[in-house]
Amino acid sequence: DNRLEPAERRWQKVFVALPWLTFAVMLAAPLLLVYGNLPFLQQRAEQQRQVAKRPAEVKVAGFQVVNFGQMPDVLERPFPTMLLLFHPATYASKVFLPAMQELDRLLRQGHVP
């Protein structure tokens, strides 16, 4: 320590303390965020419990064959959408397209959302 100049001793103290301060901030930040947001999180959890108690209205679109230009509209729907890509020249498309249409019909007959 005697071989260091006063300015070097000061920077040595800074570089010793800086990792510990960084560690303390990284340890405290998540705890402070949770503590600060806890009332909001509890309120949101209670709202979700209330919503879960109510019977849900299920909105499901029917089976549709759409072209590429219509896909953004289909994907931006407010409910889950399953998108399957078909090409008329493939054997799998000739098998799965009618199968998916039949599956849609069977699910709707059975009132399965």
Side-chain angles (χ1 to χ4, degrees):
D1 192 44
N2 293 336
R3 291 182 285 189
L4 298 176
E5 296 177 10
E8 291 174 331
R9 270 190 240 123
R10 185 177 61 235
W11 282 109
Q12 184 182 26
K13 291 175 184 174
V14 168
F15 287 122
V16 167
L18 189 63
W20 287 103
L21 290 173
T22 303
F23 174 72
V25 168
M26 290 174 63
L27 186 64
L31 297 173
L32 291 173
L33 286 171
V34 168
Y35 179 74
N37 289 320
L38 193 58
F40 169 73
L41 294 173
Q42 289 174 335
Q43 178 186 12
R44 195 165 129 193
E46 182 60 34
Q47 289 174 349
Q48 288 178 352
R49 275 190 229 103
Q50 295 295 329
V51 168
K53 288 181 182 178
R54 287 186 270 151
E57 178 182 321
V58 178
K59 183 177 181 181
V60 178
F63 183 84
Q64 298 174 343
V65 176
V66 297
N67 63 27
F68 189 77
Q70 294 170 316
M71 278 200 264
D73 298 330
V74 170
L75 294 174
E76 292 174 359
R77 292 176 180 170
F79 46 86
T81 302
M82 186 169 82
L83 183 67
L84 301 172
L85 301 176
F86 293 102
H87 191 277
T90 63
Y91 177 73
S93 294
K94 292 178 183 177
V95 171
F96 285 115
L97 185 58
M100 291 296 130
Q101 291 171 336
E102 183 66 16
L103 180 63
D104 176 58
R105 187 184 63 77
L106 290 173
L107 290 174
R108 291 194 182 281
Q109 281 180 352
H111 302 289
V112 177

